[in-house]
Amino acid sequence: MQILIIDDQQLVRLSVEKYLRDQGYAVTAVADPYTAISLLGQERPDLILLDINMPGMSGLEFIRKIQTMRVASVPVMILSGNVQEKVISEAFELGAVDYMKKPVSLSELAARVRNLLGCPLPYVHPYSRMGTSRVQEHCVGVVIPCYNEGDRLQEEIFQEFVDRNLGYHLCFVNDGSTDNTLEVLQRIRKGRENQISIHDCAQNGGKAEAVRQGMLHLAQDPQLDYIGFLDADLSTDFTDFDNLVQTLKTGPYGVVSGSRIQRMGANITKESARAVISKGINLLIRTILGMPFKDTQCGAKVMHRQLVPSLFREAFVTRWIFDVELFMRLRQQFGRDTAREMICELPLTRWIHADGSKLSMRDSLKIGFQLLKIVKTYLWQPRPQTSRTEVEVTEFPAVPVAEQVPSETH
């Protein structure tokens, strides 16, 4: 039995293709409806698995198009993140036999296909590890900077995450490590080359530069909707990071940043001395930014892909507090008031200080001097503001939003 998959997101398309092949189906996967129409002129599949939101020709337009072809009777199943009732109704009116809303597990997808086509194998394994994977609504790129992390990288956690969350792409940036970090990263990536990449830097440039290079690298991938970064030690775990993504997806924001606020119901662990220093530094940062931030330095942030080129084009002037520079660049481009509306701080449920952190107490004390450098660069040499249209950010509206972060208690 032959299945034709049409989906412009490679991360989704290749994963679904592999899983259905493992179930015993013959599968052809293409990235756009135009290529699919060309193939349909030569062969007739038993099922078409179709996305709705694709550039050039939508899924609904594709269904209308094939109704005039000899494959008009081929059943069409929809797999899409578009949950508008009008779109779903129209798809069924046009003859779609099923409509699956992302996120959806591969095991459910395969069960629906088997219900329609039957099982091509005498025995399949619908509950395999890959079967529990979810096809995501949006594709997300995550930059993970690494410098001499060979002994701390949690290989199985990274692998299991990409196996279960189709639509995520992890980009590890090896920042000139002198230990076995690169070998460990290559081991993590093996067999998952479409979901994990390695950006190898010949020399150590510091976390700020590693994140900058990784963000610009991922921004070149048009299938990614959102791009963020996360610390290699997973002091912020993937569950909290996915919560940042969900907030970005459903809210009127351009950037969502994790916030390590100590509160009831959250497991936030910091060194006592570091906490005292960060409290004083945070006061300085709030004053400089003119924004009521609770925590700018959390190593977990995610943003719309269209913002990345303008925010990361230039090298940062500081080594450890480039996060502050990011918010200063937003303020410069859009103005303070609009920047405040674009940023959401989301409290984390877990953050654990990991042993072996590269930021020493001595480095923490130097941050005050780095803040002076930021003032000189961004406040004493102001730049012209940029409109939203100049960076082609249209997904989120420019409307005021309610404060979402409770009072800081640490």
Side-chain angles (χ1 to χ4, degrees):
M1 284 170 280
Q2 177 74 39
I3 299 174
L4 174 61
I5 300 173
I6 311 169
D7 197 311
D8 63 310
Q9 294 180 313
Q10 184 186 50
L11 289 171
V12 172
R13 186 175 67 251
L14 294 180
S15 298
V16 174
E17 177 185 10
K18 181 182 185 304
Y19 189 69
L20 290 178
R21 284 185 184 277
D22 291 343
Q23 302 297 301
Y25 298 100
V27 183
T28 300
V30 298
D32 64 272
Y34 299 102
T35 303
I37 289 172
S38 177
L39 289 175
L40 291 173
Q42 306 167 23
E43 57 187 51
R44 186 183 188 279
D46 299 291
L47 173 66
I48 297 174
L49 190 59
L50 177 67
D51 189 17
I52 288 292
N53 297 330
M54 293 181 285
M57 180 189 298
S58 72
L60 296 180
E61 292 171 331
F62 172 81
I63 297 176
R64 295 191 192 96
K65 179 71 175 178
I66 65 172
Q67 286 176 342
T68 64
M69 302 172 62
R70 65 181 182 85
V71 294
S73 61
V74 173
V76 177
M77 297 179 69
I78 305 296
L79 175 62
S80 176
N82 192 323
V83 296
Q84 298 179 51
E85 291 184 11
K86 180 180 179 181
V87 172
I88 296 174
S89 297
E90 186 174 357
F92 281 115
E93 289 171 1
L94 289 172
V97 298
D98 201 352
Y99 197 112
M100 289 170 283
K101 303 175 183 177
K102 298 175 184 177
V104 63
S105 70
L106 283 178
S107 58
E108 178 182 342
L109 186 155
R112 290 173 182 260
V113 171
R114 286 195 303 274
N115 185 57
L116 182 67
L117 298 182
C119 182
L121 295 177
Y123 180 74
V124 295
H125 303 272
Y127 302 111
S128 65
R129 177 171 175 175
M130 191 176 181
T132 61
S133 303
R134 297 180 303 162
V135 178
Q136 302 294 326
E137 178 182 353
H138 296 282
C139 286
V140 184
V142 186
V143 173
I144 303 173
C146 303
Y147 175 64
N148 290 348
E149 302 281 357
D151 294 334
R152 297 203 302 166
L153 287 168
Q154 303 176 61
E155 299 180 41
E156 291 187 2
I157 293 180
F158 291 117
Q159 293 173 335
E160 182 175 354
F161 179 78
V162 296
D163 286 345
R164 295 185 183 276
N165 295 273
L166 309 178
Y168 268 87
H169 181 95
L170 305 185
C171 175
F172 291 94
V173 180
N174 180 37
D175 187 23
S177 298
T178 56
D179 66 351
N180 65 332
T181 294
L182 183 58
E183 289 78 6
V184 174
L185 293 178
Q186 291 170 338
R187 192 161 61 234
I188 294 174
R189 184 174 184 251
K190 186 176 182 180
R192 299 169 176 84
E193 287 77 9
N194 293 316
Q195 297 156 286
I196 298 175
S197 60
I198 301 171
H199 187 74
D200 192 25
C201 302
Q203 297 182 337
N204 174 247
K207 180 180 179 181
E209 182 60 16
V211 169
R212 189 180 79 89
Q213 290 196 31
M215 294 291 284
L216 290 174
H217 173 72
L218 287 184
Q220 298 176 45
D221 188 345
Q223 73 172 321
L224 299 178
D225 301 296
Y226 313 126
I227 305 177
F229 51 92
L230 189 66
D231 288 337
D233 60 18
L234 295 179
S235 50
T236 300
D237 63 21
F238 278 118
T239 299
D240 266 329
F241 188 86
D242 195 55
N243 289 338
L244 302 185
V245 173
Q246 297 306 313
T247 300
L248 185 63
K249 180 181 72 174
T250 59
Y253 312 109
V255 179
V256 179
S257 176
S259 185
R260 301 163 295 180
I261 297 174
Q262 293 180 340
R263 67 195 192 284
M264 297 292 289
N267 183 14
I268 309 295
T269 303
K270 296 182 180 181
E271 292 179 338
S272 57
R274 188 183 296 267
V276 171
I277 293 175
S278 66
K279 198 169 184 179
I281 290 173
N282 185 63
L283 178 60
L284 289 174
I285 291 173
R286 288 170 60 135
T287 302
I288 292 171
L289 287 173
M291 301 181 192
F293 272 102
K294 305 301 179 184
D295 180 13
T296 59
Q297 298 311 108
C298 177
K301 294 176 175 62
V302 65
M303 63 194 68
H304 284 263
R305 179 174 61 87
Q306 293 90 334
L307 282 171
V308 173
S310 60
L311 292 180
F312 290 88
R313 182 179 298 114
E314 298 180 8
F316 295 104
V317 300
T318 60
R319 186 179 179 89
W320 294 112
I321 55 174
F322 71 95
D323 312 70
V324 180
E325 292 190 60
L326 280 179
F327 297 129
M328 288 299 297
R329 291 178 181 186
L330 272 173
R331 172 176 165 164
Q332 282 193 331
Q333 289 183 41
F334 300 102
R336 185 185 65 180
D337 293 340
T338 300
R340 288 180 62 170
E341 295 164 4
M342 293 170 63
I343 302 168
C344 174
E345 279 193 282
L346 189 70
L348 303 175
T349 58
R350 173 193 174 276
W351 189 87
I352 305 297
H353 170 73
D355 293 335
S357 171
K358 303 299 184 299
L359 182 61
S360 66
M361 295 299 296
R362 183 177 180 181
D363 290 325
S364 298
L365 295 174
K366 293 178 180 179
I367 288 178
F369 295 102
Q370 295 190 37
L371 285 171
L372 290 176
K373 185 180 292 186
I374 288 176
V375 170
K376 179 180 178 182
T377 303
Y378 295 94
L379 294 182
W380 293 353
Q381 301 174 10
R383 306 176 188 180
Q385 292 184 11
T386 304
S387 68
R388 285 173 181 260
T389 55
E390 288 181 73
V391 291
E392 298 180 350
V393 178
T394 58
E395 288 82 355
F396 51 95
V399 296
V401 295
E403 181 71 43
Q404 294 206 358
V405 182
S407 298
E408 186 175 22
T409 57
H410 62 185

